[in-house]
Amino acid sequence: MHLAHLTGAGLGLRRGLLAELIGDDASGADFLEVAPENWIGVGGRLGKQLRALSERRPLLCHGLSLNLGGFAPLNLELLHAIKGFLDEHGVLAYSEHLSACADDGQLYDLMPLPFSEESVARIAERVRIAQDVLERPLIIENVSAYARLPGELDEADFVRAVLERADCQLLLDVNNVYVNSLNFGFDAEAYIAAMPSERIAYLHVAGHYDQAADLKIDTHGAPVIDPVWALLSSAYAQHGVRPTLLERDFNFPPLAELYAELAHIRGLQQAVRPLSRYGT
């Protein structure tokens, strides 16, 4: 499921940006993305503003708490609530993190997984269950991490194995690849090259925090840096242009600065337009 109905550069919709986006009709973003958990059941003024934006721009959903990599049973009540939200707002695609985030309760963080064949099989089954409830494909995202658990696969091979076993699509987060490449000492370009072009639905890009030379934290609280822009350009060159979303969760600059980053994404996309859209 390539997102053939989407093009260009999108922006993560956060409540801190809502008033400004409503004010200028979100004209600088080709599409928007929301976390459904932050909006399910929200009515009143905020609900009306979300509805207004979803009527003006294509809307994607990016989940935070499905716990695809966990051992606790999938939260079917949450899945049904997400399906209702997707149906209500005509959401074009739904993605979730390839991580664990719950056990007996919600952990409110994205925890690393063992890169093992056992994990691949378990996660693939959970993806299939989620897709059956949602009645639409599920797109999974590679995540940033700060610890490694025992497993016989490396990260790129693990992601590929889950994609193939679950027969699902990938949200390729370029900043997460960059962060992990420095945190764990691997080649970011080789990681991106190893991803299957035909399964890449769309991309994420964001800023991060430099805790130390060998420890980067994926905060979404700063501008995208030049090495990440270069990696995004490389991803386009290797796989073809995909819709790409800018994430910014806090430290919001004036909207014009975020729109300038979106314009930069479009510039990188246009630079490889001679390639076909999906690298074939």
Side-chain angles (χ1 to χ4, degrees), residues 142 155 172-183 186-195 200 203-206 208 216 224-242 244 264-265 268-269 272:
N142 59 293
E155 182 179 343
L172 178 58
D173 190 307
V174 174
N175 186 65
N176 287 351
V177 174
Y178 178 79
V179 163
N180 284 3
S181 73
L182 295 177
N183 289 349
F186 63 77
D187 185 330
E189 294 265 1
Y191 181 115
I192 287 178
M195 294 299 102
I200 301 174
L203 291 86
H204 271 181
V205 70
H208 59 268
K216 313 301 178 185
V224 180
I225 66 170
D226 287 344
V228 175
W229 286 130
L231 199 58
L232 178 62
S233 180
S234 178
Y236 292 153
Q238 294 182 69
H239 298 293
V241 170
R242 299 292 195 285
T244 301
H264 191 76
I265 291 171
L268 296 177
Q269 292 172 334
V272 294

Side-chain angles (χ1 to χ4, degrees), residues 16-38:
L17 299 171
L18 193 57
E20 280 192 277
L21 287 172
I22 287 287
D24 81 347
D25 192 25
S27 57
D30 298 311
F31 59 95
L32 299 169
E33 182 190 76
V34 301
E37 294 92 333
N38 293 337

Side-chain angles (χ1 to χ4, degrees), residues 12-268:
L13 175 57
R14 308 294 184 258
R15 291 191 188 182
L17 299 171
L18 193 57
E20 280 192 277
L21 287 172
I22 287 287
D24 81 347
D25 192 25
S27 57
D30 298 311
F31 59 95
L32 299 169
E33 182 190 76
V34 301
E37 294 92 333
N38 293 337
W39 292 95
I40 290 170
V42 173
R45 177 177 57 85
L46 289 175
K48 289 178 181 177
Q49 289 176 324
L50 177 61
R51 167 62 69 185
L53 286 172
S54 70
E55 290 173 350
R56 298 173 194 171
R57 288 288 180 273
L59 190 66
L60 305 181
C61 275
H62 185 48
L64 300 172
S65 51
L66 195 52
N67 193 33
L68 286 176
F71 286 88
L74 286 173
N75 186 335
L76 297 182
E77 181 179 355
L78 172 63
L79 274 169
H80 283 289
I82 290 171
K83 181 184 185 302
F85 183 87
L86 302 181
D87 292 344
E88 177 187 357
H89 290 278
V91 174
L92 300 177
Y94 173 64
S95 60
E96 247 291 0
H97 299 86
L98 186 55
S99 68
C101 62
D103 191 9
D104 289 334
Q106 185 58 235
L107 300 174
Y108 300 104
D109 207 347
L110 303 175
M111 307 303 291
L113 303 175
F115 296 153
S116 65
E117 293 291 349
E118 185 278 331
S119 290
V120 169
R122 181 168 46 82
I123 293 165
E125 177 60 23
R126 291 164 77 85
V127 169
R128 286 191 285 269
I129 293 169
Q131 291 181 147
D132 286 346
V133 174
L134 295 169
E135 297 181 345
R136 48 178 47 85
L138 181 63
I139 304 168
I140 60 172
E141 181 194 23
N142 59 293
V143 300
S144 58
Y146 313 101
R148 282 285 188 251
L149 302 180
E152 63 271 20
L153 303 173
D154 66 21
E155 182 179 343
D157 287 343
F158 175 74
V159 173
R160 284 180 59 98
V162 173
L163 292 171
E164 291 165 9
R165 185 78 65 89
D167 192 20
C168 64
Q169 297 291 299
L170 174 66
L171 164 52
L172 178 58
D173 190 307
V174 174
N175 186 65
N176 287 351
V177 174
Y178 178 79
V179 163
N180 284 3
S181 73
L182 295 177
N183 289 349
F184 301 108
F186 63 77
D187 185 330
E189 294 265 1
Y191 181 115
I192 287 178
M195 294 299 102
S197 294
E198 70 278 5
R199 293 192 182 275
I200 301 174
Y202 71 113
L203 291 86
H204 271 181
V205 70
H208 59 268
Y209 175 67
D210 290 332
Q211 179 72 35
D214 58 352
L215 179 59
K216 313 301 178 185
I217 309 295
D218 180 43
T219 59
H220 305 169
V224 180
I225 66 170
D226 287 344
V228 175
W229 286 130
L231 199 58
L232 178 62
S233 180
S234 178
Y236 292 153
Q238 294 182 69
H239 298 293
V241 170
R242 299 292 195 285
T244 301
L245 183 115
L246 173 68
E247 295 184 289
R248 188 65 174 261
D249 290 352
F250 65 100
N251 291 336
F252 298 118
L255 197 55
E257 293 184 23
L258 296 179
Y259 283 172
E261 289 192 278
L262 297 186
H264 191 76
I265 291 171
R266 295 188 194 97
L268 296 177

